[in-house]
Each structure stands twice: as structure tokens, then as C-alpha cells.
């Protein structure tokens, strides 16, 4: 997708602070962090969001959580962190390339706002 911001980040055409990458995913610092750790984990494949995802994307959707766990371990925030897929504008989704938020490093309230 040539006009997708996150596809451009993966391609290196928009700068980002890379945290992790592998053959399936890319992770980078959120530009507007909501916690001391706020990393976005995205699939290299352009998937719009969970509700548009296909069954064939199921492994990828779950795999992003394993990448988040790895990053959380590296950062020593395993005591309490949150992984979030915002789905749709009503839930705050503003970029339509699937991305898992990893938030941690501070007390996280429940329920979220
Ligand atoms: P969402 O609101 O769930 O769609 O999340 C999109 C996230 O992308 C927000 O937390 C933004 O701060 C973040 N974001 C937008 N543009 C960039 C960028 N160029 N680099 C890093 N993060 C970004
Ligand atoms: Zn994309």
C-alpha cells in the first residue's frame, strides 16, 4: 500500500525509532507516547484492522503479542503492561494498518478510558 503511513515506515520512507524487526513484524516507538514504554508492533503485511482480517491472518495477529512480550521482557516491564488493538474510529483507531500498542512502565488504570 503506497499511501499507508505504516507501510512507508516499514519501507524506511518515513523515519521511525525502530525497536525490533523480524521477517513478519516491525516495531517502533509511538510518536506520541502515552506511557514510558509505548511501542507499536505491526505486521509487515498490510492488514487494515482486526475486523477486516482474514483467518489466514490469525497467526500474525497473535504473533504480535509474542513480539510485545519479548520487548516487555527486554525493558523489564513484565510486572504489568498492556497490549491493545484499537478497532475502528470509535475506539480511537487513526491509522488503518493493523498495529498492536504495547504500553507499560507506569500504573495502568482499569477500565481504560
Ligand atoms: P491508533 O490511534 O490506535 O490508530 O494508533 C495510531 C498510533 O500511531 C498513535 O498512537 C499515534 O501516536 C501513532 N503514530 C502516528 N504517526 C506516527 C509516526 N509517524 N510514527 C510513530 N507513531 C505514529
Ligand atoms: Zn500499510
Amino acid at each position: 500500500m503506497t499511501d499507508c503511513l505504516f507501510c512507508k515506515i516499514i519501507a524506511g520512507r518515513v523515519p521511525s525509532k525502530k525497536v525490533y524487526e523480524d521477517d513478519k513484524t516491525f516495531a517502533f516507538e509511538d510518536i506520541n507516547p502515552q506511557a514510558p514504554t509505548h511501542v507499536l508492533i505491526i505486521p509487515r503485511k498490510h492488514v487494515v484492522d482486526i475486523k477486516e482480517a482474514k483467518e489466514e491472518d490469525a497467526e500474525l495477529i497473535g504473533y504480535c503479542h509474542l513480539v510485545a512480550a519479548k520487548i516487555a521482557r527486554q525493558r523489564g516491564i513484565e510486572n504489568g503492561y498492556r497490549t491493545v488493538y484499537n478497532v475502528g474510529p470509535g475506539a480511537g483507531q487513526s491509522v488503518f494498518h493493523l498495529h498492536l500498542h504495547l504500553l507499560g512502565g507506569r500504573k495502568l488504570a482499569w477500565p481504560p478510558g
Side-chain angles (χ1 to χ4, degrees):
M1 285 278 288
T2 49
D3 61 345
C4 167
L5 173 64
F6 286 178
C7 283
K8 286 181 188 164
I9 284 179
I10 292 167
R13 287 193 284 123
V14 168
S16 70
K17 288 189 187 161
K18 184 174 81 177
V19 171
Y20 173 89
E21 70 175 322
D22 62 24
D23 58 334
K24 296 191 281 286
T25 64
F26 188 89
F28 55 101
E29 303 284 354
D30 195 292
I31 206 167
N32 182 23
Q34 302 301 311
T37 286
H38 189 172
V39 172
L40 301 175
I41 298 121
I42 66 178
R44 290 186 182 276
K45 178 182 175 188
H46 181 88
V47 175
V48 172
D49 62 21
I50 296 278
K51 66 184 188 310
E52 302 293 329
K54 309 269 186 294
E55 271 198 48
E56 68 200 38
D57 300 319
E59 192 178 335
L60 201 48
I61 292 164
Y63 181 72
C64 287
H65 287 274
L66 295 183
V67 172
K70 190 178 291 195
I71 296 166
R73 210 156 35 239
Q74 284 169 356
R75 298 202 170 189
I77 58 164
E78 283 174 293
N79 181 49
Y81 64 87
R82 188 165 295 156
T83 45
V84 180
Y85 282 123
N86 289 327
V87 185
Q93 187 181 8
S94 60
V95 179
F96 292 85
H97 177 132
L98 189 73
H99 48 282
L100 183 66
H101 294 260
L102 165 62
L103 296 145
R106 67 166 167 82
K107 181 94 177 81
L108 297 167
W110 189 262

